[in-house]
Amino acid sequence: MKRLIIHGDPGIRKGALIEYDGEELVCFGINRNGEWHGPEEVQLWCIVGADSEYEDFEHQNYIPHFLDVERVDAEAIDVVRPQGDLAV
């Protein structure tokens, strides 16, 4: 699990499946920053990881402060699935 800061908006939402750096990652949570008073383009602060790590995310078995952080432009992200299924 890691935090991925995406500069720009590739059109993804919570539950998206993306391909970055040769691996498929699921976006567990997304914070959208920079809409009003931020930088010129929006930034998405995503917590991403493998499917097998979702339970740890759901039960908060991690410390957000100690996650590895990577910054990337929106063009470097390949969107496989733009959003997750809605839970009812």
Side-chain angles (χ1 to χ4, degrees):
M1 196 174 336
K2 61 185 169 185
R3 183 172 303 275
L4 187 64
I5 300 174
I6 303 173
H7 297 278
D9 187 1
I12 60 173
R13 299 295 173 255
K14 182 179 176 182
L17 183 63
I18 62 172
E19 188 172 324
Y20 169 67
D21 201 25
E23 61 182 329
E24 284 192 350
L25 301 168
V26 178
C27 294
F28 300 137
I30 298 177
N31 292 327
R32 191 174 174 92
N33 298 315
E35 289 281 86
W36 299 99
H37 303 293
E40 292 180 10
E41 62 183 0
V42 71
Q43 292 180 352
L44 301 180
W45 288 45
C46 309
I47 296 179
V48 298
D51 279 333
S52 61
E53 295 175 314
Y54 182 72
E55 189 173 335
D56 286 335
F57 172 78
E58 191 175 46
H59 295 290
Q60 297 180 352
N61 291 334
Y62 66 98
I63 301 173
H65 183 74
F66 294 114
L67 290 176
D68 292 335
V69 178
E70 294 184 28
R71 294 176 176 266
V72 65
D73 289 327
E75 294 82 28
I77 301 292
D78 293 325
V79 179
V80 177
R81 183 183 69 211
Q83 63 189 13
D85 298 331
L86 293 175
V88 179

